[in-house]
Amino acid sequence: MLHTLRQIVDDDEKWRMILRGLNAEFYHQTVNSKQIEMYISEAMGIDLKTFFDQYLRDTRIPTFEFALVKGEMRYRWTNAVRGFSMPLRVFIDGEAVWLDPSSRWQTKKEIHPNTKVEVDPDFYVASFELTVIN
């Protein structure tokens, strides 16, 4: 989970500052999960409530589901808690691209039918390519 958060930050210096900040903020204290979650969310500047619900309070691994259809890539999250949203880096024909999937289908246009899509292996997610018959 922490490694996935590090990938979302996409800035190792900022990630180290968040970890050091946790140590400084909560030094020699007994803390609860909510305090840690709030600190990380604020430090990253992102609402991570559903991220923590998914990775701390649910046993399912979120699945990035996608299909290549008529020059478009359609994608979404499945197998996830309600409202789950998390940016994801994928490689489209080897080029790194950031997507912001949610539980609703979204579309990336101008994709050729033989496009190779791979999820960055540094994210703890499953991926599933749907086969669409036209």
Side-chain angles (χ1 to χ4, degrees), residues 8 24 28 43 48 62 66-67 69 76 91 99-100 105 109 122 131:
I8 293 169
H28 283 287
L48 294 168
F66 68 97
V69 182
R76 69 177 178 178
F91 297 98
L99 301 175
D100 198 13
W105 284 106
K109 301 203 182 283
D122 288 326
T131 302

Side-chain angles (χ1 to χ4, degrees), residues 5 18 22 36-45 48 52:
L5 277 173
I18 290 170
L22 279 167
I36 301 297
E37 292 169 36
M38 291 298 294
Y39 180 88
I40 293 172
S41 287
E42 289 173 9
M44 287 179 62
L48 294 168
F52 288 120

Side-chain angles (χ1 to χ4, degrees), residues 64 75 77 85-88 98-104 106:
F64 176 69
Y75 58 92
W77 286 119
S85 176
M86 176 180 79
L88 180 68
W98 280 95
L99 301 175
D100 198 13
S102 68
S103 60
R104 295 178 186 245
Q106 296 178 54

Side-chain angles (χ1 to χ4, degrees), residues 30-110:
T30 301
V31 297
N32 61 40
S33 179
K34 184 172 180 145
Q35 290 172 285
I36 301 297
E37 292 169 36
M38 291 298 294
Y39 180 88
I40 293 172
S41 287
E42 289 173 9
M44 287 179 62
I46 302 171
D47 181 2
L48 294 168
K49 182 187 179 327
T50 60
F51 175 89
F52 288 120
D53 286 346
Q54 181 66 47
Y55 284 96
L56 294 177
R57 293 176 267 286
D58 197 286
T59 59
R60 297 172 293 171
I61 298 170
T63 301
F64 176 69
E65 192 172 86
F66 68 97
L68 303 176
V69 182
K70 298 180 183 174
E72 300 178 338
M73 180 173 83
R74 297 179 187 165
Y75 58 92
R76 69 177 178 178
W77 286 119
T78 61
N79 202 39
V81 298
R82 182 180 208 130
F84 180 69
S85 176
M86 176 180 79
L88 180 68
R89 185 173 38 235
V90 298
F91 297 98
I92 299 176
D93 287 334
E95 181 182 337
V97 175
W98 280 95
L99 301 175
D100 198 13
S102 68
S103 60
R104 295 178 186 245
W105 284 106
Q106 296 178 54
T107 303
K108 180 166 181 51
K109 301 203 182 283
E110 299 178 17

